[in-house]
């Protein structure tokens, strides 16, 4: 509604507008009635659709893009994360007990855990910053981090001196922290930022399945073998 300025008498202006727009209001009233009727019909259709029972997959698809599970690249990425979470992250929990079992004290075992934690932080911050500069291939770096952490874990049982164990723990912490920070970045690069919530959520779900099997399995191996 256009209001002319200046306005001297508001009541006269209202009467003039009502007389001028009487026909327009009638036509608008009919149009609004028709529009309301059409909207009611659409609402009824929507209500009918909402009342239809949804399957489990349909409910999941409301929040996750499960079509990712049909892509071979995503399956390989999920397998790498799951196997990595089975083999590496829990090593730090058993490191103090292993160091004590080979003849060192609790204080020295605590130093090794601190070294690994500091290098883990450096890997998360440093490689996260360097990856934004696009100085290297993120896929190859992701693979190298997995290999480095895996080799570090494999060398710890054969290292009998504190220096070698500390070196392995440092490499382990650096590679593990770098791997953690590269995982969502690589998912965004490969599958797109618009699917990052679904891709990262599914990967973490499968990672948790692998990780939850480690503590009882590791305890069983410790009981059967007699050492860490």
């Amino acid at each position: 509604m256009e209001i002319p300025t200046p306005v001297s008498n508001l009541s006269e202006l209202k009467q003039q507008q009502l007389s001028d727009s009487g026909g327009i209001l009638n036509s608008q009233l009919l149009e609004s009635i028709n529009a309301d009727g059409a909207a009611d019909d659409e609402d009824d259709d929507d209500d009918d659709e909402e009342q239809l029972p949804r399957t489990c997959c349909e409910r999941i698809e409301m929040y996750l893009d499960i079509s990712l599970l049909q892509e071979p690249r995503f399956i390989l990425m999920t397998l790498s994360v799951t196997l990595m979470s089975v083999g590496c992250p829990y090593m730090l929990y058993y490191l103090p007990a292993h160091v004590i079992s080979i003849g060192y004290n609790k204080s020295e075992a605590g130093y090794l855990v601190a070294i690994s934690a500091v290098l883990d932080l450096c890997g998360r911050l440093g490689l996260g910053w360097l990856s934004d500069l696009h100085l290297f291939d993120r896929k190859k770096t992701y693979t190298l981090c997995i290999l480095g952490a895996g080799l570090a874990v494999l060398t710890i049982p054969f290292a009998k001196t504190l220096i070698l164990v500390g070196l392995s723990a440092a490499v382990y912490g650096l590679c593990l922290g770098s791997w953690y920070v590269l995982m969502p970045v690589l998912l965004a690069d490969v599958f797109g930022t618009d699917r990052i919530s679904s891709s990262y959520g599914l990967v973490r779900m499968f990672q948790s399945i692998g990780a939850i099997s480690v503590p009882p399995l590791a305890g069983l191996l410790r009981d059967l073998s007699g050492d860490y």
Side-chain angles (χ1 to χ4, degrees):
M1 183 173 58
E2 296 180 359
I3 300 178
T5 55
V7 179
S8 59
N9 193 337
L10 186 61
S11 61
E12 294 179 358
L13 176 63
K14 289 181 178 180
Q15 292 176 358
Q16 183 180 359
Q17 288 175 346
L18 289 174
S19 60
D20 292 340
S21 61
I24 298 175
L25 289 175
N26 290 331
S27 62
Q28 289 178 347
L29 181 60
L30 292 175
E31 291 176 358
S32 64
I33 292 173
N34 294 330
D36 291 340
D40 292 338
D41 294 338
E42 292 177 358
D43 292 339
D44 293 338
D45 295 337
D46 293 338
D47 293 338
D48 293 338
E49 293 178 358
E50 291 178 357
Q51 291 176 359
L52 292 176
R54 289 192 179 97
T55 63
C56 181
C57 291
E58 289 176 347
R59 292 182 181 274
I60 294 175
E61 287 177 347
M62 294 172 59
Y63 307 100
L64 288 175
D65 184 7
I66 60 176
S67 63
L68 287 166
L69 298 175
Q70 300 175 354
E71 299 186 20
R73 291 184 303 172
F74 184 76
I75 297 298
L76 291 175
M77 185 73 178
T78 303
L79 284 175
S80 72
V81 174
T82 303
L83 294 176
M84 180 72 173
S85 61
V86 169
C88 285
Y90 284 94
M91 187 279 297
L92 200 61
Y93 299 160
Y94 301 101
L95 180 62
H98 168 68
V99 172
I100 293 172
S101 67
I102 61 177
Y104 296 96
N105 56 41
K106 293 182 179 180
S107 178
E108 291 169 330
Y111 289 145
L112 295 179
V113 174
I115 291 172
S116 180
V118 170
L119 268 296
D120 185 297
L121 180 62
C122 292
R124 292 173 189 255
L125 298 179
L127 196 68
W129 174 66
L130 291 175
S131 65
D132 289 339
L133 301 179
H134 301 284
L135 300 176
F136 48 82
D137 189 348
R138 292 172 177 173
K139 296 179 183 178
K140 294 180 181 179
T141 307
Y142 177 85
T143 305
L144 288 176
C145 290
I146 292 179
L147 292 175
L151 290 175
V153 172
L154 291 176
T155 57
I156 286 178
F158 304 101
K160 300 304 180 182
T161 64
L162 194 64
I163 295 177
L164 291 178
V165 177
L167 182 61
S168 298
V171 174
Y172 163 82
L174 180 65
C175 293
L176 191 68
S178 302
W179 170 73
Y180 267 123
V181 79
L182 280 178
M183 188 200 313
V185 175
L186 195 59
L187 287 172
D189 288 345
V190 177
F191 304 105
T193 55
D194 55 332
R195 306 169 79 185
I196 186 63
S197 59
S198 296
S199 61
Y200 190 63
L202 289 171
V203 164
R204 295 290 284 182
M205 182 187 71
F206 286 103
Q207 180 186 3
S208 65
I209 295 174
I212 199 173
S213 63
V214 174
L217 180 61
L220 178 63
L221 291 176
R222 167 64 178 85
D223 295 337
L224 294 177
S225 63
D227 60 17
Y228 288 95

